[in-house]
Amino acid sequence: MDKTEYFSKLGGLPPQTQLLSGRAVFTTAYAVIPRGVMSDIVTSLLPHWTGTRAWVLSRPLSGFSETFSQYVMEVQPGGGSDRPEPDKRAEAVLFVVEGGMTVELEGVSHTLRAGSFVYIPAGSAWRLKNDGSAAVIFHWVRKAFQEVDGLEPPPAIVTHEDDHPIRAMPDTDGRWGTTRFIDPADVRYDMHVNIVTLEPGAVIPFMETHVMEHGLYVLEGKAVYRLNQDWVEVEAGDFMWLRAFCPQACYAGGPGRFRYLLYKDVNRHVKLW
């Protein structure tokens, strides 16, 4: 098995000699935020967090993607929060890409490292602390949980990628697979955050067109993505934001494997306005 890698090298500032052209794109169907624009000057500070900065990659926008927000969080040694989430409706997924930290969830402490995954149900009491000697970097996906009458709320999950095999897609000879941290048959959950892996030369061989919104953060490798009518080159550290029904496909040309962290909203009826 290939060595697991998670891209985490954000920040800095381009030199004055840098050309202004780049790969950032925002359209009515999708957005691409390449790693080169995630500089120091586009970070945000959050209330009740210390020693922390965030790159906000997505937020609900009327007429675009509307279900989720996604941050890359960088917490320095000693930093963290005793009041991380201001919205009681918000459920969350944390996925660590560098360093280590402790998350206390409903009074129980969990030690996390690169590759750790946490699902935090809406309304949970939790806190986070970097008690190590180096910065910790993790993704934080937030969504307003959609309750369903007669369906119990989903439980918390604390796990690690090492404990979840890559499950091959049918008829792909194992070249395209998904690491699923949440049971896809469990309808208590209204969102999934998975890792998709494509080996060199593998493809998503048709234009997926579906109601689920997506956030795709490239953890490793590079590929060419087809988004709506455009072919877009992406690499480790890039983020793609896809609204519902945006046609999408992918060709992973290599030389190494291509992996991304994937958000999607699932298991709920469409709201009628």
Side-chain angles (χ1 to χ4, degrees), residues 181-223:
F181 300 103
I182 298 173
D183 181 356
D186 191 338
V187 298
R188 293 176 298 177
Y189 295 91
D190 68 351
M191 74 166 177
H192 290 167
V193 176
N194 305 322
I195 294 176
V196 176
T197 300
L198 290 97
E199 298 296 329
V203 298
I204 297 177
F206 67 104
M207 296 295 289
E208 293 186 40
T209 307
H210 49 62
V211 69
M212 287 84 75
E213 297 179 349
H214 279 337
L216 298 89
Y217 187 90
V218 183
L219 297 171
E220 180 182 349
K222 60 182 180 179

Side-chain angles (χ1 to χ4, degrees), residues 37-91:
V37 304
M38 299 183 203
S39 68
D40 292 338
I41 64 173
V42 300
T43 57
S44 298
L45 302 180
L46 301 175
H48 305 300
W49 284 81
T50 60
T52 301
R53 60 179 182 171
W55 287 269
V56 179
L57 303 181
S58 70
R59 53 166 290 181
L61 291 175
S62 180
F64 195 63
S65 291
E66 299 181 342
T67 62
F68 76 110
S69 66
Q70 184 163 342
Y71 309 157
V72 178
M73 304 286 289
E74 180 187 83
V75 182
Q76 297 298 323
S81 179
D82 291 333
R83 299 172 59 184
E85 177 55 70
D87 192 335
K88 293 184 181 301
R89 304 170 304 158
E91 58 188 334

Side-chain angles (χ1 to χ4, degrees), residues 184-265:
D186 191 338
V187 298
R188 293 176 298 177
Y189 295 91
D190 68 351
M191 74 166 177
H192 290 167
V193 176
N194 305 322
I195 294 176
V196 176
T197 300
L198 290 97
E199 298 296 329
V203 298
I204 297 177
F206 67 104
M207 296 295 289
E208 293 186 40
T209 307
H210 49 62
V211 69
M212 287 84 75
E213 297 179 349
H214 279 337
L216 298 89
Y217 187 90
V218 183
L219 297 171
E220 180 182 349
K222 60 182 180 179
V224 182
Y225 236 91
R226 177 67 182 265
L227 300 174
N228 204 12
Q229 298 176 328
D230 307 318
W231 284 102
V232 178
E233 292 183 295
V234 293
E235 63 180 345
D238 293 350
F239 180 75
M240 290 170 278
W241 189 11
L242 281 56
R243 69 179 299 176
F245 301 108
C246 175
Q248 57 198 266
C250 176
Y251 169 63
R257 63 181 184 173
F258 176 63
R259 306 177 74 232
Y260 54 85
L261 192 70
L262 172 70
Y263 160 87
K264 61 181 177 181
D265 51 314

Side-chain angles (χ1 to χ4, degrees), residues 107-124:
V108 179
S109 292
H110 304 274
T111 300
L112 308 181
R113 58 189 173 91
S116 290
F117 173 99
V118 182
Y119 170 78
I120 302 174
S124 298

